Every structure is written in structure tokens, then in C-alpha cells.
Amino acid sequence: MNISSIRIGNLVTRCTGRALGGPQVAWLPQSPRNQSDVRRRTCNRTEAARSAESDVSGSSTVSAAVTELSDWLNESGGFVHPALAVVEQAPCGGGRGVICTVDQSEEDVAGMPLVLVPEELLLTSEVARYGFGAHYEPKGAPPLAELDQATQLAIMLAHERVEGPDSFYHPYIQALPERAPCAWSMEPAQLRQALQRVEAQLGGAEAVQVWVAEVERYRRAMQSHAEGAEERYKKYFPLTADDFFWAMGQVLSRSFASHPQLALIPFIDLLNHQAGADHPELVTVGGDEGDRCMCISSVSSSGTWQPLSAGQELFIRYFDHQPQQPVSTEGGSSGNKGVVSAGAVVPSGGGVLLPNRPALDAFLSYGYVPPELWQRRDRAEEVALNHVAV
């Protein structure tokens, strides 16, 4: 199978919805809390955070792998605020998350990042292209540049996973989940539970079945894509279809988009999504243009520093919701056409219009639907609804 002929660009555009924040800015270079102060405070973070993580009421402690990830970040020149802890069961119900363990006043957080991840720790499609190109393409491997960026990044992630402890990124990779949250990667029982949670918003079992069909279509496409990846690169390193399937799920569920590349950002990708939260930003630390980090802080959208309460979960925004027109695809054996109407499918003959397209895209990538995606009907749905009403 020719992997380069498989087009998943639209999938990446829709499903890799996490976005990086605004322009590069100096991280308050005039602040007395400068780079050396930030780096000094990291030395005190690990012990305090571990203690807090074990004492958080209602939340289980983090795994040893996540603790090792935090250590790796700190030892590599990154920073995690001493008051933060990673928990396996976040207050929002979204699995792992990051919380504040001690009350932090505005004075405590003003001028300070909450998390800094050095740019050199990021796994990016650009690093994948050039690193892979330097190592394998001289040996005859097909260029990664021929493939879309999500596939490039997934090939790199799968390669580094195969490397095991020898990989520079091993502390990050071992902390990733064994199964990505993407709907198309779920076990059947898990998928049924996830669909039960959205049935009411969709408007009933008929619309759910449309989603089931789309999940299966994506699952088959990803399995085929994984087989193509194995065939293309197994001669050069021990890549299996299972390795790539796992890696593609990680990329599509947790990577961040910043034209012209995709990036996996260790630790920051543990934060859950909330509408109105900020994207991570690329900043320069201490005014040094050569010392760039991905950053999250407590600055609100209005530009003010927000105090934090003990037990409060920190969030980032995965995407900026922009309504999309429903996507046409081939339907079932009935050959009927579905017209989108209030989230349900109204039979009328022809292909299939997928209901609640933005919500479906999120479900395919994240395994759940952020509430704000149910609250807006795009123009195409309004037109379809009005047409049916007439």
C-alpha cells in the first residue's frame, strides 16, 4: 500500500484542534522574578509536588511515569510551579489533569509562569522531518516530507517508542496512555459508553448510528494507514502497524497546531480543555531570544493575573470553535439522504449529511464532546432545518 496516497489532511485539520497561542513575547524581562529565579525554584518543586499529589482529597496519586516526566522537565531547564500537581482523576472528570494544591494570591502568581517547557523538549513535525531525513533517508527510506504532518509526527513518536529507554523522549512517551482517547481507538464497550453520553444531545438512536458508522469508517482508515506505514518503513526500523496506530491516536488527540507544523508538548498536554481558557504560548525567558519555552500562566483573557484556589483545576483551550458545514459521505445500504435537523437525521434520499459535524470531529479526536460544541448550530444546519420545516 502506498501510504503517501492516503489523504488524511482534512482529518488533521478538523481533529487536531489544539492551537498554540499568540506571538512570541519576552517573559517579563524586567521582572525581579527572572529566569534564574524560575530555574532556582524548580529545585524545590518536585518534593513539594509529590507530597501534595498524595494528599489531594478525592484524587488518586499520579503514576511513577508522570512523576518521572515532571523530573525530566525540571532537569531539562523547564519549570512547574511548586503549587501544581498532576492527578490521575481530575475534578472535571476528564482523566488526568493538573490542579493547584495550595491557595495562590494574585501576588503569588503575578509575573510568574505556571509551566515552562523548553522548546527543545517538543516533538514536532519539523524535528521529525529533519531528524528522520538525516538518519534514514541516506539509507534509502522514503522522505517523510511526502506525507502529511500528522503522519510525520506519528512516525517519529512510534520510532521513539520503539527506542524505549534509549530515546531522549522516553520520560514523556512512557507517561502517555496505552490507548488514545480517540473514538476510533476505543474498545467496543468504551465506545458504547461514550455514545450513551451523547445520545440525548444527538436526538436519539438513529443519529447515534450515523456517528457509529463514521467512527468505524475512521477506524478502518487508520488501520489501513497503519499498515501502509509499516510497509513503508519496517525495512529501516522495527515499526509495526500497532505502533503507528497508537502513535497516530496520540498525535490526533493531544498535538497542538501552529502553522506550518504540529507539536506534542510534554506536561502541558496533561491539562484538560475549557472554553475561554488560554492557549499555550511560545515565550522567551529572561529576554533571551535563544531560550524559548512553551508557557501557561494564570493570566486571564482580559490580561489580569488570576488567583488560584487549592483544588482548582488548570485548563487550556484546545481549539477555537468555528462552525463548519456538514460533510457529505457515502451512507448505508438504504441510500437515503439525511438532512441535519436539530442534531438528528431526517431521511430524505441520497448520501448522508453528518449531524453535528463540529461535535463529531471533537468526539473522533477526544472521545467526548466539549459542551460549547452542542450550543451552536452552523448556518448549513439552519438552512437544512428551515428547508425541512417548509
Side-chain angles (χ1 to χ4, degrees), residues 305-323:
W305 298 93
Q306 299 297 304
L308 302 173
S309 302
Q312 179 180 340
E313 184 173 0
L314 274 69
F315 295 96
I316 54 176
R317 188 168 77 253
Y318 288 180
F319 53 83
D320 294 309
H321 174 52
Q322 297 179 359

Side-chain angles (χ1 to χ4, degrees), residues 236-362:
Y236 306 98
F237 70 95
L239 175 69
T240 68
D242 287 344
D243 290 330
F244 181 85
F245 189 87
W246 172 86
M248 199 65 174
Q250 306 298 333
V251 168
L252 293 181
S253 63
R254 64 198 308 122
S255 65
F256 295 78
S258 178
H259 184 77
Q261 66 177 319
L262 297 179
L264 291 167
I265 308 178
F267 197 91
I268 286 179
D269 64 7
L270 291 169
L271 274 72
N272 290 308
H273 164 80
Q274 186 177 75
D278 281 339
H279 296 305
E281 289 189 299
L282 181 62
V283 302
T284 57
V285 180
D288 182 357
E289 288 292 338
D291 195 0
R292 303 196 301 180
C293 295
M294 294 307 304
C295 171
I296 59 170
S297 70
S298 70
V299 175
S300 70
S301 56
S302 63
T304 59
W305 298 93
Q306 299 297 304
L308 302 173
S309 302
Q312 179 180 340
E313 184 173 0
L314 274 69
F315 295 96
I316 54 176
R317 188 168 77 253
Y318 288 180
F319 53 83
D320 294 309
H321 174 52
Q322 297 179 359
Q324 303 177 44
Q325 293 188 359
V327 177
S328 296
T329 186
E330 293 299 320
S333 58
S334 66
N336 288 337
K337 180 181 179 181
V339 177
V340 178
S341 174
V345 177
V346 182
S348 65
V352 172
L353 283 175
L354 299 177
N356 286 291
R357 182 76 237 190
L360 173 58
D361 290 336

Side-chain angles (χ1 to χ4, degrees), residues 81 83 100-106 108-109 306-312:
H81 194 285
C100 181
T101 61
V102 181
D103 288 344
Q104 297 290 300
S105 67
E106 182 177 344
D108 291 330
V109 298
Q306 299 297 304
L308 302 173
S309 302
Q312 179 180 340

